[in-house]
Amino acid sequence: MNDRVKHLFIWPAFLLVLVITLFPLIYALTVSFQTIRIVPPTPPRFVGFDNYGDILANARFWGAIGTTATIVVISVVLQYVIGLSVALALHHNVPGASLFRVTFLLPMFLAPVCVALIAKMIFHPVLGPANEFFTLFGLENLPFLTDPNFAIAVLITIETWQWTPFVVLLMLAGLQGLPAEVFEAARVDNISAWRRFRDITFPMLLPLSAAVIFIRLIEGFKIIDTVFVLTGGGPGTSTETLTLFAYNEGFKKFNIGMTSALSFLFLIVVIVFGTLYLAGARKLTQRYEQ
Amino acid sequence: MEHIEFRKISKSYGAVEVVPPLDLSIEQGEFIVLVGPSGCGKTTTLRMLAGLEETTSGDIFIDGENITDKRPGDRNCAMVFQNYALYPHMSVRDNIGYAMKVHGAAKADIDARVEEAAGLLGLSEYLDRKPRNLSGGQRQRVAIGRALVRQPQVFLFDEPLSNLDAKLRVEMRSEIKLLQRRLGTTAVYVTHDQVEAMTMADRVVVMRSGVIEQVDAPITLYERPANKFVASFIGSPSMNFFDARIENDQLLLGHQRLQLAAQEAERIGDFGRVIFGIRPEHCRDSEAAAQLTFGVEVIEPLGSNTLLLGTVGDQKIMAQVDPRFAAQADAPSTIPIDMSAAHFFDPITEVRL
């Protein structure tokens, strides 16, 4: 055996990982301990944890966490509930299922910027069809994008609209992978459709559900494009999400040190939420473990 | 008393008719086995009885009640599936008691019946395990237990032993049979294994392409198969068939003449062309034996007996003879044929003569 050959396989992969992920990460980490401004250019200066301290003391940061968490948690719950319902309907071949299967997936293929632009027209306070609709109920000219609560509700709606198809797609695949005989056995045993869902379908899909929600949570936290186009974080900073906050610091104020620190805090926030979620999900799946 | 009745039920998928109109009645407490090669419609027939498959036409009655349009759950049948179909996330106890629990039985009742069924099936020590941690035989027992506790009016078995190894299959088949006899519940059992069919059934339904070829007690199927298909399907090793002629009370097989048994001679002594069938185990001496010479090609000693494989003219033959029978490969050998156990079929319709 020529053991030296293994180096040929290991090193290129290792170097690649080093160059494209580890190096930028470590570089960003060092930058986060410095003040670096591109405009106006100032020489880097080591400031220790000052950047982190400044951010943590900044109400805007905590506001951004609150906004992001609100949007993500509510929209992911909606995505899952609606997504699973639609998947169940498609799985049971409601009339026109094949048409729906295609159309339901379309929003997912659109670029978020396009989605935001479409939404901007729909939710125009005077000319949009949403206004038209609410006018039927006597609610004219609602401040869809200019009132903080309305704006967040609109963002949640758009997130849900765009990403429910993802949940549908995966849950449908999961449903179709379940053994048909188990459900036939339940039908012969006179188990009602609701109990079949509650006691068999849902528990059997739990591991997949946990994974799907996890993916959506992590992805959801990165929300920026729709917010950027639709409200720009406004009114004020009431709809500013974490990534938009970081973007504003980095590319409007060109405060690179601060932005790097913010990115790492963002990472920590995602890890905290992710860990909390996984702990909860684990407890639930363990109860139904196969 | 008649318990289950199929009246002209049929099943089509689009233009393809899988089961042409079929009639069958099953007695109370009877163990009926549907057997046939794969694709013969036996499983479809069972699933129509369970309600998992809609009938295209015809009616099914259980206890005189037309259940054709009833939901599977309203038919009071319990089914055991080939792949066990256990609820993977429930313990053995929950699997067996689940239906009772959903239907609102008292906890004490459920426990009592689950314990009873588990005891009966030798599952008592596994009650808290998940199906994943059980062997195939144990899983199938759980599936049977699940059917048992419901105390249904009909048991349905869809090839329940196909996924088990040979030894376990032999064990389970007598267990199922015993259990059914003890409970006295009508059972409909589907299998492609003729040995299973023969050993378990009170009556066997032999099917081919959705058509019932014969319904009879196992021994009748063996002794008086209704046609060539049943004759070839039942029995192991399977029956030898030869194109032959009957003239002057004699069977002409190639150049050889075999004297018919007296009874047969009287009945079909001058029939002309026939299909002659003889089971390998009937190549034995008897009062009505005739001698047949054929070229032996392979000798397979099995211990309790020996199989001779060879040809008569250009037709294959397999004979089962005594272990010490003097025969040599690649040499002609003469064996006795018990003509009283011979079968004759019409060469065109293949129906028994």
Side-chain angles (χ1 to χ4, degrees):
Chain A
M1 282 294 285
N2 187 353
D3 248 349
R4 271 178 298 179
V5 175
K6 71 184 175 198
H7 296 286
L8 196 69
F9 291 101
I10 294 170
W11 283 105
F14 180 70
L15 287 175
L16 196 70
V17 170
L18 202 69
V19 169
I20 65 171
T21 66
L22 282 182
F23 170 72
L25 206 67
I26 291 164
Y27 182 72
L29 188 64
T30 57
V31 167
S32 74
F33 294 116
Q34 300 170 333
T35 52
I36 301 181
R37 275 182 181 276
I38 301 177
V39 183
T42 46
R45 190 164 54 82
F46 182 78
V47 292
F49 280 96
D50 280 6
N51 285 333
Y52 289 94
D54 285 353
I55 295 168
L56 291 177
N58 190 345
R60 201 171 156 190
F61 171 71
W62 296 105
I65 288 188
T67 307
T68 315
T70 310
I71 295 175
V72 170
V73 171
I74 298 179
S75 77
V76 169
V77 167
L78 287 175
Q79 284 166 38
Y80 180 72
V81 172
I82 300 172
L84 180 57
S85 317
V86 172
L88 279 168
L90 290 179
H91 182 58
H92 288 287
N93 280 322
V94 291
S98 47
L99 174 75
F100 287 129
R101 213 164 296 190
V102 179
T103 47
F104 277 148
L105 294 184
L106 280 178
M108 199 172 77
F109 299 129
L110 290 176
V113 176
C114 304
V115 174
L117 285 172
I118 296 168
K120 204 167 185 173
M121 289 189 267
I122 292 176
F123 288 105
H124 191 284
V126 182
L127 306 170
N131 178 54
E132 202 78 12
F133 175 76
F134 282 105
T135 306
L136 292 178
F137 303 99
L139 301 163
E140 269 172 272
N141 301 343
L142 292 175
F144 290 118
L145 301 174
T146 42
D147 174 271
N149 290 331
F150 271 108
I152 286 193
V154 166
L155 287 172
I156 290 172
T157 310
I158 295 166
E159 272 286 289
T160 309
W161 183 76
Q162 182 165 28
W163 293 113
T164 298
F166 174 80
V167 179
V168 173
L169 194 68
L170 288 186
M171 295 318 282
L172 187 59
L175 278 170
Q176 286 170 345
L178 294 181
E181 283 191 337
V182 171
F183 295 94
E184 289 181 342
R187 274 170 66 202
V188 172
D189 283 352
N190 201 13
I191 311 295
S192 66
W194 160 244
R195 290 301 293 253
R196 283 205 296 273
F197 172 77
R198 201 193 81 174
D199 298 339
I200 305 170
T201 315
F202 187 69
M204 283 174 90
L205 284 177
L206 256 186
L208 177 68
S209 301
V212 168
I213 292 175
F214 187 65
I215 295 172
R216 282 311 312 148
L217 276 182
I218 302 295
E219 284 286 309
F221 264 95
K222 293 194 263 184
I223 180 172
I224 178 165
D225 13 28
T226 31
V227 189
F228 183 84
V229 173
L230 219 51
T231 65
T237 56
S238 58
T239 60
E240 191 173 60
T241 59
L242 274 172
T243 36
L244 187 62
F245 181 31
Y247 172 84
N248 285 337
E249 282 296 317
F251 296 97
K252 284 196 174 152
K253 297 187 188 163
F254 295 103
N255 194 347
I256 302 301
M258 191 71 108
T259 309
S260 293
L262 200 48
S263 304
F264 274 94
L265 286 174
F266 173 72
L267 186 69
I268 291 168
V269 168
V270 171
I271 289 174
V272 166
F273 272 93
T275 311
L276 284 177
Y277 165 75
L278 283 182
R282 210 197 159 92
K283 235 180 199 161
L284 199 63
T285 43
Q286 252 168 5
R287 219 173 69 199
Y288 289 110
E289 206 161 58
Q290 303 191 356
Chain B
M1 192 186 96
E2 204 163 76
H3 192 200
I4 302 170
E5 198 185 356
F6 293 95
R7 275 193 211 152
K8 299 247 168 300
I9 59 150
S10 72
K11 177 74 190 173
S12 305
Y13 294 104
V16 185
E17 194 172 54
V18 197
V19 179
L22 171 150
D23 288 294
L24 178 68
S25 55
I26 297 168
E27 302 288 304
Q28 178 78 47
E30 203 175 15
F31 199 112
I32 282 277
V33 175
L34 306 182
V35 69
S38 34
C40 74
K42 54 191 189 298
T43 296
T44 309
T45 308
L46 185 80
R47 288 171 60 86
M48 285 195 282
L49 177 55
L52 294 172
E53 211 80 66
E54 277 177 34
T55 53
T56 308
S57 68
D59 293 299
I60 304 174
F61 294 83
I62 295 183
D63 254 347
E65 185 189 356
N66 190 337
I67 51 119
T68 320
D69 297 320
K70 282 200 168 181
R71 294 186 307 114
D74 294 335
R75 300 183 177 204
N76 200 4
C77 297
M79 187 154 171
V80 178
F81 292 82
Q82 180 175 357
N83 301 323
Y84 325 127
L86 299 178
Y87 309 124
H89 54 284
M90 294 186 198
S91 66
V92 169
R93 186 190 300 279
D94 293 341
N95 257 291
I96 298 179
Y98 176 60
M100 284 183 77
K101 190 176 133 203
V102 172
H103 299 146
K107 176 112 181 41
D109 268 359
I110 301 175
D111 284 346
R113 266 210 248 166
V114 170
E115 303 280 349
E116 191 195 341
L120 215 56
L121 294 160
L123 288 169
S124 300
E125 46 190 308
Y126 307 109
L127 277 175
D128 294 313
R129 286 206 199 168
K130 294 279 169 76
R132 197 174 59 131
N133 301 322
L134 298 175
S135 69
Q138 288 164 342
R139 283 183 212 181
Q140 197 52 283
R141 265 175 242 251
V142 177
I144 293 170
R146 197 170 60 180
L148 222 60
V149 291
R150 289 199 39 226
Q151 305 185 334
Q153 39 173 348
V154 184
F155 280 130
L156 307 173
F157 296 93
D158 185 8
E159 310 212 15
L161 307 183
S162 300
N163 287 3
L164 305 182
D165 62 58
K167 185 168 169 282
L168 207 53
R169 212 178 303 167
V170 174
E171 276 174 36
M172 287 294 287
R173 106 188 154 206
S174 50
E175 272 181 47
I176 292 178
K177 175 73 194 154
L178 269 173
L179 210 58
Q180 186 268 345
R181 198 179 302 157
R182 202 147 107 202
L183 299 170
T185 311
T186 310
V188 184
Y189 187 108
V190 162
T191 178
H192 61 263
D193 180 351
Q194 54 104 0
V195 179
E196 244 169 62
M198 297 289 280
T199 50
M200 300 176 83
D202 293 324
R203 279 193 306 154
V204 179
V205 178
V206 184
M207 293 181 75
R208 176 174 58 167
S209 319
V211 177
I212 294 181
E213 298 283 341
Q214 189 171 2
V215 185
D216 259 316
I219 196 65
T220 316
L221 286 184
Y222 178 81
E223 288 175 346
R224 298 186 60 80
N227 53 42
K228 189 184 160 198
F229 173 77
V230 177
S232 68
F233 195 79
I234 301 294
S236 169
S238 61
M239 193 186 279
N240 298 298
F241 295 101
F242 305 97
D243 291 325
R245 293 185 63 79
I246 296 183
E247 278 172 20
N248 302 327
D249 300 350
Q250 285 183 324
L251 180 76
L252 265 70
L253 191 57
H255 305 296
Q256 306 188 55
R257 288 173 173 274
L258 284 73
Q259 184 65 39
L260 292 188
Q263 250 179 314
E264 304 286 347
E266 201 172 303
R267 203 161 55 84
I268 48 171
D270 274 306
F271 193 82
R273 273 189 57 215
V274 292
I275 296 172
F276 164 56
I278 186 78
R279 294 189 187 277
E281 58 269 33
H282 292 151
C283 299
R284 63 180 181 201
D285 236 334
S286 81
E287 283 172 19
Q291 302 298 315
L292 177 72
T293 306
F294 72 102
V296 178
E297 285 164 355
V298 179
I299 301 175
E300 293 183 347
L302 299 176
S304 61
N305 50 56
T306 294
L307 296 180
L308 304 179
L309 283 75
T311 49
V312 180
D314 55 356
Q315 306 186 69
K316 286 197 171 160
I317 180 170
M318 179 191 278
Q320 184 177 310
V321 294
D322 281 343
R324 297 284 172 195
F325 187 85
Q328 262 187 316
D330 300 320
S333 183
T334 302
I335 53 168
I337 302 282
D338 182 356
M339 292 304 281
S340 63
H343 304 267
F344 301 97
F345 304 98
D346 186 293
I348 294 156
T349 60
E350 299 191 342
V351 172
R352 177 185 190 80
L353 295 175

